[in-house]
Amino acid sequence: MAESNFIDYVKIMCRSGKGGAGSRHFYRAKYVPKGGPDGGDGGRGGHVILRGNKNMWTLLPLKYQRHVFAGNGQSGSGGRSFGKDGEDKVIEVPCGTVVFDAETGDFLCEVTDDGEEIKLLKGGKGGLGNWHFKSATNRTPRYAQPGEPAIEKTVILELKLLGDVGLVGFPNAGKSTLLSSISAARPKIADYPFTTMEPQLGIVSYRGNRSFVMADIPGIIEGASEGKGLGLRFLRHIERNAVLLFMVPADASDIRKEYQILLNELERFNPELMTKQKVLAISKCDMLDDELMAEMEKDLPDDVPHVFISSVSGLGIQTLKDMLWAAITDESNRIEPVHITHRRLDGHHRVREEDEFIFENPAAPESDDEDVYDDEMFDEEWDESWEDYDGSGDPE
């Protein structure tokens, strides 16, 4: 996995910008020695924003940009001059990215559409200058508001691929072979387990110039929901699929039992997967005759439609496409986007190397405040004739 460019889980540290402090400046000009307060407001701190990008397919850029800091707002100044707002930091992510709190594992937000923007961390508000606080009874306010502090949070980004059909099966069940035969995808195919090491997407052509997207994930083994094998790490990619295509090879010792094992692992991972449309494909049937397939049908599950296929000879492929298209276009699957409830990140759903990643403490950014609260400088510039002013007219 270290050599792959497909990254679907990354941990980053984000910090919004702090608000600039308000100014306590008093107007001074020739012939106007007692002009009153005119301190401007501080600028707003920058936001940290997530933006969906349909041209991205991996979280790889964030793996090498662990710190995302927005700009701080500048301080206000005299003449009611407002400070400049801090620069917003926009994080481009693939569509289908889900954000979790790294400390608690709670779901925060998700980005599903191209161009969709979500404000992950809000920048601090700028402080009000002293001119806001002047009144008939307080004509010389010597105070201003400080800016709001920055918000810092460590988050985990998970990518869940958007597809119509998700392939589910044990290693060497023929998932990659099927995907390569009915789409332009070219996944790695070999005669040993776990040939597929990362999810693959393929666009499957259908009648009338129509098409749908099929997603292949690494094979699932019994105990995947407890962290065994590779399937658990990639099961998140079928949460958004409208239809689940279970694949069991014809040479399996017990097709019904293997299907039930796969079903149980999905239910333990996320119980909401049980509500999705399901189709069972018996693969590697190029050497079976009609009589043997009829005999095998007696032992197949009754609660799921099934089809015998062969990716090599093309047996049952068109029938499978028809069944998948009927399931995709079913009224229960016409909700866009596919609604799912994201489970919390617990010990079984985390990626160890990312969860244990330690951030180096970056140097604190230099403050943008320019002597806003420097009392000694303020007192030096203060006109002594205002010291005993009680707000009842001009000072003597």
Side-chain angles (χ1 to χ4, degrees):
M1 289 302 301
E3 299 178 356
S4 173
N5 287 332
F6 182 80
I7 303 297
D8 60 351
Y9 186 105
V10 69
K11 179 181 177 182
I12 63 174
M13 177 189 291
C14 302
R15 184 167 65 203
S16 62
K18 64 179 181 179
S23 173
R24 300 183 299 180
H25 189 271
F26 284 82
Y27 181 73
R28 288 295 182 267
K30 192 175 183 180
Y31 307 120
V32 188
K34 303 167 186 178
D38 69 342
D41 302 346
R44 170 188 61 80
H47 304 311
V48 177
I49 300 173
L50 295 177
R51 180 188 295 161
N53 187 340
K54 65 180 181 181
N55 296 319
M56 295 182 64
W57 61 280
T58 175
L59 296 172
L60 180 65
L62 292 176
K63 193 172 181 67
Y64 302 101
Q65 187 184 1
R66 297 288 188 168
H67 300 95
V68 180
F69 297 155
N72 294 329
Q74 295 183 358
S75 303
S77 57
R80 295 190 184 181
S81 297
F82 292 0
K84 183 180 178 181
D85 290 343
E87 182 182 359
D88 295 337
K89 191 68 175 180
V90 179
I91 306 175
E92 299 276 352
V93 295
C95 298
T97 300
V98 185
V99 186
F100 297 91
D101 189 315
E103 301 297 329
T104 63
D106 294 334
F107 166 76
L108 297 179
C109 61
E110 62 177 331
V111 180
T112 57
D113 299 324
D114 181 48
E116 178 184 2
E117 292 189 356
I118 294 179
K119 193 179 296 181
L120 182 60
L121 296 181
K122 187 177 181 180
K125 291 182 180 179
L128 298 178
N130 62 347
W131 73 279
H132 284 280
F133 305 104
K134 67 181 181 179
S135 66
T137 58
N138 184 16
R139 299 176 63 182
T140 57
R142 299 184 61 181
Y143 50 83
Q145 287 183 338
E148 289 185 352
I151 301 175
E152 186 173 293
K153 185 183 290 291
T154 302
V155 298
I156 290 175
L157 304 182
E158 263 193 356
L159 174 60
K160 299 182 179 181
L161 295 178
L162 299 172
D164 299 309
V165 179
L167 290 172
V168 183
F170 284 94
N172 284 109
K175 302 186 299 298
S176 297
T177 305
L178 174 65
L179 185 64
S180 65
S181 65
I182 63 176
S183 72
R186 291 295 175 262
K188 184 178 180 180
I189 300 174
D191 59 354
Y192 55 84
F194 296 110
T195 307
T196 301
M197 298 294 289
E198 61 187 44
Q200 301 284 339
L201 287 179
I203 299 178
V204 181
S205 299
Y206 190 62
R207 295 188 178 98
N209 293 325
R210 294 172 292 184
S211 63
F212 56 88
V213 180
M214 181 176 288
D216 176 25
I217 66 171
I220 299 174
I221 62 174
E222 188 172 5
S225 59
E226 300 174 357
K228 296 181 180 179
L230 295 175
L232 176 67
R233 177 165 180 174
F234 299 105
L235 278 175
R236 67 177 73 100
H237 294 292
I238 62 173
E239 286 186 297
R240 294 190 188 277
N241 301 152
V243 180
L244 300 180
L245 174 58
F246 291 82
M247 293 191 63
V248 180
D251 56 0
S253 57
D254 191 333
I255 296 178
R256 182 190 293 268
K257 180 179 179 180
E258 290 199 4
Y259 169 74
Q260 194 60 46
I261 291 175
L262 295 172
L263 206 61
N264 292 339
E265 294 300 328
L266 296 187
E267 185 176 12
R268 292 174 185 172
F269 179 78
N270 188 345
E272 284 204 0
L273 293 175
M274 297 298 98
T275 62
K276 295 182 180 294
Q277 296 267 8
K278 306 176 187 66
V279 176
L280 175 61
I282 314 302
S283 60
K284 305 180 181 180
C285 296
D286 46 299
M287 300 298 291
L288 302 182
D289 55 19
D290 294 339
E291 182 179 351
L292 186 54
M293 286 189 286
E295 186 67 24
M296 294 176 62
E297 282 187 351
K298 301 178 182 178
D299 297 327
L300 297 180
D302 299 327
D303 57 344
V304 58
H306 62 271
V307 58
F308 292 88
I309 66 170
S310 172
S311 302
V312 176
S313 64
L315 171 69
I317 294 299
Q318 189 57 50
T319 303
L320 175 63
K321 288 184 179 181
D322 293 338
M323 296 174 64
L324 293 176
W325 184 259
I328 293 171
T329 56
D330 188 78
E331 289 300 324
S332 61
N333 286 330
R334 298 302 294 270
I335 303 175
E336 294 293 342
V338 178
H339 174 73
I340 58 175
T341 300
H342 301 280
R343 74 288 179 275
R344 290 181 68 254
L345 282 179
D346 54 26
H348 293 315
H349 298 104
R350 291 179 180 265
V351 178
R352 178 179 299 178
E353 59 267 25
E354 287 292 326
D355 196 45
E356 296 177 353
F357 183 84
I358 300 176
F359 295 99
E360 298 179 358
N361 292 327
E366 297 181 0
S367 174
D368 294 328
D369 301 343
E370 298 178 358
D371 299 324
V372 176
Y373 292 100
D374 191 338
D375 291 335
E376 295 182 0
M377 179 179 295
F378 187 88
D379 291 339
E380 290 177 1
E381 297 179 352
W382 181 254
D383 191 327
E384 294 181 357
S385 62
W386 290 74
E387 288 295 339
D388 299 325
Y389 174 64
D390 59 2
S392 59
D394 292 336
E396 298 293 336

